Amino acid sequence: MVLEPTDKWVLNYADDSCRLAHAFGKDKDRILLVLDQFQPGGMMDLSLVGKRLGRIPESRIDLTVTFGPGLPKGELNEAMLGTLGPDKTTIIMAGPRDLLNRPIRRNTGNSSDSLGTITPEQEAAITEVRFTTGTMRLTLKTGPMKGPLDAMRTCMANLVKEWGLDPVQQAALGARVAPTTSPGQWLKPEDYPAGPLFMGAGAIVRFRLMVGTDGVPSQCFIQLATNSPEFTKLTCDLLMKRARFTPALDREGKPVASYYTNSVRWLVP
């Protein structure tokens, strides 16, 4: 299925993220593409929303997302399925993806920073995004992405200011905040809350930690979460207790305050 856009891009200045959304197709084929960004860089979380997607019966699927044309094929990763609203419209949460389809290092921290920058020419060359599963072949004709991504950068710069940081300094850091231990060990199976575990319930929690010059987190914020309040406070409490970092460094090698973002998927096996 190949779908053309049916309206303009919409940019939402959310409380702790920036969101681009665009609708494609009409009537029963209408699908909404959502791009969420939680820190500056070339990586965004992708979601698809639409009743047409309800034909996929699984709760998790293997999904390939490829920006193009002419770019290498994207990685095959697991995506989560859920529903939105009273009419139970299907949402596919594809998770973090790189706009140039570069492999993302998992559990390493601010992974979008390790991917390098994306140039305006590369952004303008992206005119579509393809989604492939075992049962679906979907191409969304986005048009050149330079304009929407320029707007997204402005949103992110304003957001970094709201965090109490200088976006110019943060963009020019000599070294980013880096975990001193594996983030995969900060939350453990025995931390799973008993009630949701008994019910087989899970959650996806996107978080931001503010990290001081000593490498210790000073605050934890939930940037985005599925409707599972049992997990949000628990996630922040455990991260504040266990997460430790080497601090960010400016161009002169001096420690400066910065931030760390990542996500947690609470899933019952």
Side-chain angles (χ1 to χ4, degrees), residues 14-36:
D15 290 340
D16 211 329
S17 62
C18 296
R19 169 174 288 182
L20 276 171
H22 206 353
F24 299 81
K26 297 180 180 180
D27 301 325
K28 64 180 180 64
D29 288 333
R30 189 174 188 271
I31 289 177
L32 187 68
L33 171 66
V34 180
L35 305 175
D36 286 304

Side-chain angles (χ1 to χ4, degrees), residues 23-251:
F24 299 81
K26 297 180 180 180
D27 301 325
K28 64 180 180 64
D29 288 333
R30 189 174 188 271
I31 289 177
L32 187 68
L33 171 66
V34 180
L35 305 175
D36 286 304
Q37 194 164 37
F38 302 95
Q39 66 173 39
M43 187 170 69
M44 300 184 188
D45 280 24
L46 271 72
S47 300
L48 290 174
V49 182
K51 292 184 178 179
R52 178 69 177 264
L53 305 173
R55 297 178 181 180
I56 302 173
E58 299 89 349
S59 60
R60 308 177 196 176
I61 57 173
D62 291 328
L63 178 70
T64 299
V65 180
T66 303
F67 291 92
L71 291 173
K73 187 177 180 180
E75 284 188 296
L76 178 67
N77 293 118
E78 187 180 68
M80 303 297 296
L81 274 70
T83 59
L84 290 175
D87 58 352
K88 303 294 184 181
T89 300
T90 298
I91 177 171
I92 298 177
M93 294 166 283
R97 305 286 170 149
D98 174 56
L99 293 172
L100 297 182
N101 307 319
R102 294 167 292 192
I104 297 172
R105 293 187 299 164
R106 305 291 172 177
N107 292 328
T108 57
N110 292 333
S111 53
S112 65
D113 297 320
S114 68
L115 296 172
T117 58
I118 177 172
T119 67
E121 292 76 19
Q122 289 171 323
E123 289 177 348
I126 297 173
T127 59
E128 66 181 31
V129 56
R130 299 177 182 176
F131 299 85
T132 306
T133 72
T135 58
M136 178 180 72
R137 303 289 186 274
L138 171 65
T139 299
L140 303 180
K141 295 292 188 179
T142 62
M145 293 291 292
K146 182 180 182 303
L149 294 178
D150 280 343
M152 182 76 98
R153 271 189 293 274
T154 300
C155 178
M156 286 306 310
N158 288 337
L159 200 58
V160 171
K161 287 182 182 179
E162 291 186 12
W163 297 347
L165 303 171
D166 180 353
V168 176
Q169 181 194 56
Q170 294 296 310
L173 290 176
R176 301 279 178 184
V177 167
T180 57
T181 58
S182 171
Q185 299 176 5
W186 293 344
L187 294 99
K188 303 174 182 179
E190 54 265 32
D191 296 323
Y192 216 103
L197 180 62
F198 177 77
M199 298 296 294
I204 299 175
V205 181
R206 253 283 181 188
F207 65 87
R208 169 173 58 90
L209 295 174
M210 299 305 295
V211 181
T213 56
D214 57 357
V216 177
S218 59
Q219 292 176 291
C220 176
F221 297 91
I222 301 300
Q223 294 184 297
L224 189 71
T226 55
N227 188 24
S228 304
E230 304 93 338
F231 295 96
T232 51
K233 184 180 185 301
L234 175 62
T235 297
C236 269
D237 288 346
L238 293 174
L239 291 172
M240 292 293 290
K241 179 180 178 180
R242 297 172 182 170
R244 294 297 182 267
F245 305 88
T246 55
L249 304 176
D250 64 15
R251 287 296 187 184

